[in-house]
């Protein structure tokens, strides 16, 4: 076993013990003995198995991928310097400047956990979903059930894979086609700022090849960033729910926080409350 592998396991264990379960979105119950996150909680946040977390900490699992290390860094709410240290501990180069970042600052993760009544998803500059809270899963379905490479809004709108099939039916109050055009405009903007990003280049190539609508918009869409909207989502358990969708830019990071809210006392606010109580599994069926 190399020193790097041992260092990686020690870092993982140390930072897992450090993170407050409440700040990670978990209820703290009486009699809890773990000083920080349990292995199963870290596994849930990172989308990994508990056994794999154990083997990583013990140094028995070698060569974790950059995708796994990135997921662990986000789940552990590491600073950028700590994230880079974790990559080096795994024998990997940290993400380089000039590529689209997927690191979610600890403050944003705490915010998504503490605003537990509001569905919140955090997206990278290429509209890849990199973080979400429980209410986001209750409203949209659990993103961890979608392959990591498919957790992208552009793939959900224009693709033909798991992202497209997993998205719940919705309609936007904006002019027809405006939502799709704004997503393409955002990707064109990202491509101009990250010309060397391989993942973005692959995303654009895939969609231009497989989607005639995307290919046409890529040549015609003008700057029209996706910001605020009102959307009606058809939920499989509670039916249609109309919510205000706001997109907030994260200061100091090229990330977007997408939030869904309803006016206090409205029927849609009541439906959000029902989602919170039932975790998206309300009794009954759609009309």
């Amino acid at each position: 076993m190399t020193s790097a592998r041992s260092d990686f396991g020690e870092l993982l264990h140390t930072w897992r013990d450090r993170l407050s379960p409440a700040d990670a979105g978990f209820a703290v119950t009486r009699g809890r003995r773990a000083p920080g996150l349990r292995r199963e909680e870290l596994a849930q946040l990172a989308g990994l198995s508990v056994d794999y977390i154990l083997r990583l900490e013990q140094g028995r699992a070698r060569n974790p991928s950059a995708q796994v290390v990135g997921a662990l860094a986000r789940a552990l709410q590491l600073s950028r310097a700590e994230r880079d240290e974790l990559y080096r501990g795994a024998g990997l180069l940290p993400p380089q400047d000039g590529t689209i970042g997927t690191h979610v600052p600890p403050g944003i993760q705490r915010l998504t956990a503490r605003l537990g009544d509001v569905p919140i998803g955090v997206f990278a500059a290429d509209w890849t979903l990199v973080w979400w809270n429980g209410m986001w899963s209750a409203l949209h379905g659990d993103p961890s059930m979608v392959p990591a490479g498919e957790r992208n809004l552009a793939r959900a709108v224009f693709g033909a894979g798991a992202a497209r099939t997993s998205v719940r039916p919705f309609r936007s109050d904006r002019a027809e086609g405006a939502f799709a055009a704004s997503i393409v405009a955002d990707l064109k903007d990202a491509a101009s700022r990250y010309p060397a990003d391989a993942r973005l280049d692959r995303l654009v190539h895939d969609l231009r090849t497989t989607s005639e609508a995307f290919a046409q918009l890529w040549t015609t869409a003008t700057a029209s960033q996706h910001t605020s909207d009102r959307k009606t989502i058809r939920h499989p358990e509670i039916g249609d729910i109309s919510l205000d969708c706001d997109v907030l830019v994260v200061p100091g990071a090229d990330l977007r926080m997408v939030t869904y809210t309803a006016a206090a006392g409205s029927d849609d606010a009541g439906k959000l409350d029902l989602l919170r109580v039932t975790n998206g599994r309300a009794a009954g069926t759609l009309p």
Side-chain angles (χ1 to χ4, degrees), residues 44 47 129 132-147 151 166 168 279 281:
Q44 179 181 334
L129 180 64
W132 60 89
N133 63 7
M135 276 296 287
W136 181 275
S137 297
L139 179 64
H140 291 290
D142 186 1
S144 67
M145 304 303 293
V146 179
R151 295 174 200 161
S166 67
R168 286 174 175 168
N279 196 30
R281 293 186 293 271

Side-chain angles (χ1 to χ4, degrees), residues 137-139 168-169 233-241 271 274-275 278-287:
S137 297
L139 179 64
R168 286 174 175 168
I233 299 163
R234 190 161 179 79
H235 193 279
E237 299 293 340
I238 65 171
D240 287 354
I241 177 170
K271 291 181 179 181
L274 181 60
L275 283 179
T278 63
N279 196 30
R281 293 186 293 271
T285 57
L286 290 176

Side-chain angles (χ1 to χ4, degrees), residues 51-89:
D51 178 66
Y52 188 49
I53 297 291
L54 176 61
R55 289 188 289 117
L56 284 171
E57 289 188 354
Q58 294 178 341
R60 294 187 292 114
R62 303 188 176 191
N63 304 314
S65 68
Q67 182 178 331
V68 165
V69 177
L72 287 168
R74 290 191 293 271
L76 291 165
Q77 301 187 13
L78 302 184
S79 68
R80 181 166 179 170
E82 290 169 339
R83 176 207 67 180
D84 290 354
E85 186 177 357
L86 191 66
Y87 271 87
R88 287 190 290 268

Side-chain angles (χ1 to χ4, degrees), residues 9-272:
E10 291 172 5
L11 288 171
L12 205 57
H13 196 173
T14 298
W15 285 329
R16 178 170 64 80
D17 283 348
R18 182 187 69 177
L19 182 58
S20 162
D23 283 343
F26 294 103
V28 180
T29 57
R30 288 181 125 187
R32 183 186 178 100
R33 292 181 295 175
L37 286 186
R38 298 186 177 107
R39 287 193 183 95
E40 57 266 29
E41 292 168 338
L42 176 58
Q44 179 181 334
L45 291 172
L48 304 170
S49 72
V50 180
D51 178 66
Y52 188 49
I53 297 291
L54 176 61
R55 289 188 289 117
L56 284 171
E57 289 188 354
Q58 294 178 341
R60 294 187 292 114
R62 303 188 176 191
N63 304 314
S65 68
Q67 182 178 331
V68 165
V69 177
L72 287 168
R74 290 191 293 271
L76 291 165
Q77 301 187 13
L78 302 184
S79 68
R80 181 166 179 170
E82 290 169 339
R83 176 207 67 180
D84 290 354
E85 186 177 357
L86 191 66
Y87 271 87
R88 287 190 290 268
L92 299 169
L93 287 174
Q96 302 299 300
D97 292 336
T99 59
I100 292 176
T102 60
H103 179 65
V104 182
I108 299 302
Q109 296 188 44
R110 287 194 297 270
L111 188 63
T112 61
R114 292 172 182 177
L115 295 179
D117 293 347
V118 178
I120 301 176
V122 182
F123 291 81
D126 61 353
W127 281 109
T128 292
L129 180 64
V130 294
W131 197 253
W132 60 89
N133 63 7
M135 276 296 287
W136 181 275
S137 297
L139 179 64
H140 291 290
D142 186 1
S144 67
M145 304 303 293
V146 179
E150 285 284 318
R151 295 174 200 161
N152 180 279
L153 184 57
R155 290 193 186 278
V157 174
F158 298 101
R164 182 66 175 267
T165 57
S166 67
V167 70
R168 286 174 175 168
F170 72 92
R171 65 177 182 272
S172 166
D173 279 5
R174 299 173 68 185
E176 185 177 357
F179 170 72
S182 69
I183 298 302
V184 177
D186 283 342
L187 289 185
K188 291 180 71 173
D189 175 65
S192 70
R193 292 185 290 113
Y194 300 99
D197 190 276
R199 187 181 68 188
L200 176 58
D201 185 66
R202 184 168 59 253
L203 170 67
V204 172
H205 177 270
D206 288 349
L207 295 181
R208 292 185 74 178
T209 302
T210 60
S211 170
E212 183 178 342
F214 182 90
Q216 181 176 358
L217 284 171
W218 187 257
T219 60
T220 61
T222 56
S224 174
Q225 290 188 334
H226 182 49
T227 52
S228 297
D229 197 356
R230 183 166 177 80
K231 293 180 182 175
T232 300
I233 299 163
R234 190 161 179 79
H235 193 279
E237 299 293 340
I238 65 171
D240 287 354
I241 177 170
S242 297
L243 301 169
D244 294 313
C245 175
D246 293 293
V247 182
L248 313 174
V249 177
V250 177
D254 201 355
L255 299 171
R256 298 177 178 91
M257 284 181 62
V258 178
T259 67
Y260 286 85
T261 57
S266 66
D267 289 344
D268 293 305
K271 291 181 179 181
L272 270 185

